[in-house]
Amino acid sequence: MALSTTPTITAFERSPDRGRGLARDMRVRWALEEAGQPYDVRLVSFKTMKEPAHRALSPFGQIPTYEEGGLALFESGAIVFHIAERHGGLLPADANARSRAISWMFAALNTVEPPIIERSMAALFDQDKPWYAERLPVLEDRVRARLGELSSRLGDADWLDGAFSAADLLMVTVLRRLGSSGLLDEYPKLCAYISRGEARPAYQRAFAAQLAVFTAQSSAG
Ligand code: GTB
């Protein structure tokens, strides 16, 4: 009997984002949809994530993970890169263009995402702290600095470097994390860039799939 190669990813059983597609399984779902690769999803609770069976896949007890045949991966960026390497459409064929796209993948995760996460963590967990009112503008200015630089570089282009790639997929998911912060309003080119990503049919299928999890869990009570 042939072994199935359909990958299985993990996602929140109850995502705190209430189906807004902000958890990091969204980028993996989107990459799989861009690749035209069917996938299964195993939903995990916060408790299950910290148990040994899940930690064997994810040392930090997090989602998403990715299992395919004998391969198990964690870290959303590595998973997206793996999908992009094995399927067409997410990385350019030209070697130099491919390396530039990979630079942008790292930029999304290592340069743009950290200040965004730092701000959202403070907004989520530190609002009751006496220093919050002073700290928030500092964190927001750090985000603005990156958004300004990114917006200048993107200019009027549709995508970061030529055709849509895994770099855009990661960057759009990173920027979406700013959601209701209002910070994106100052950067119309980035808003248009996010909208272009969200308009892609693969994005919409991925978004619908993660939203369906939230809807099913809500109606189950
Ligand atoms: N660097 C890792 C990666 O890229 O895969 C980070 C993975 C990660 O942060 N996973 C989060 C997780 O498992 C879910 S995505 N958290 C549980 C834990 O650490 O115990 C982060 C996330 C969570 C919630 C929202 N939200 O509610 O809007 C958005 C993003």
Side-chain angles (χ1 to χ4, degrees), residues 12 15-18 20-25 27 46 49-50 54 58 60-64 74-79 109 113 117 121 124 177:
F12 281 133
S15 181
D17 74 352
R18 303 175 61 80
R20 284 179 296 150
L22 299 176
R24 289 183 176 94
D25 59 296
R27 50 184 70 159
F46 279 93
M49 265 186 256
K50 304 303 172 193
H54 187 76
S58 167
F60 307 109
Q62 297 183 314
I63 61 97
F74 63 103
E75 284 297 328
S76 58
I79 298 169
L109 303 182
E113 188 165 49
I117 298 301
M121 288 298 178
L124 271 175
R177 191 76 188 264

Side-chain angles (χ1 to χ4, degrees), residues 38-86:
Y39 61 97
D40 295 322
V41 182
R42 190 169 63 250
L43 300 176
V44 290
S45 65
F46 279 93
K47 181 171 172 285
T48 308
M49 265 186 256
K50 304 303 172 193
E51 286 170 357
H54 187 76
R55 281 196 193 272
L57 301 171
S58 167
F60 307 109
Q62 297 183 314
I63 61 97
T65 60
Y66 178 98
E67 293 154 83
E68 182 188 29
L71 175 69
L73 298 174
F74 63 103
E75 284 297 328
S76 58
I79 298 169
V80 168
F81 184 46
H82 169 81
I83 296 164
E85 283 210 305
R86 275 161 184 71

Side-chain angles (χ1 to χ4, degrees), residues 185-200:
D185 301 348
E186 300 162 36
Y187 304 92
K189 287 181 198 297
L190 295 184
C191 293
Y193 173 64
I194 295 168
S195 298
R196 276 192 291 280
E198 291 174 338
R200 292 178 72 83

Side-chain angles (χ1 to χ4, degrees), residues 89-178:
L90 281 167
L91 280 175
D94 172 78
N96 286 351
R98 194 177 180 90
S99 295
R100 287 197 304 273
I102 293 168
S103 293
W104 276 113
M105 291 175 74
F106 277 87
L109 303 182
N110 278 2
T111 303
V112 180
E113 188 165 49
I116 291 176
I117 298 301
E118 212 180 337
R119 185 215 159 269
S120 57
M121 288 298 178
L124 271 175
F125 299 117
D126 296 332
Q127 292 211 20
D128 56 341
K129 308 287 191 316
W131 40 260
Y132 180 73
E134 261 184 275
R135 175 104 176 119
L136 185 65
V138 174
L139 296 178
E140 294 202 328
D141 279 348
R142 286 183 192 153
V143 174
R144 281 191 189 93
R146 289 296 179 242
L147 296 182
E149 288 157 346
L150 183 63
S151 180
S152 299
R153 181 56 176 256
L154 181 67
D156 292 319
D158 279 354
W159 307 116
L160 290 168
D161 191 320
F164 174 83
S165 78
D168 297 294
L169 185 154
L170 290 176
M171 192 66 86
V172 167
T173 59
V174 162
L175 295 175
R176 286 191 75 251
R177 191 76 188 264
L178 285 167

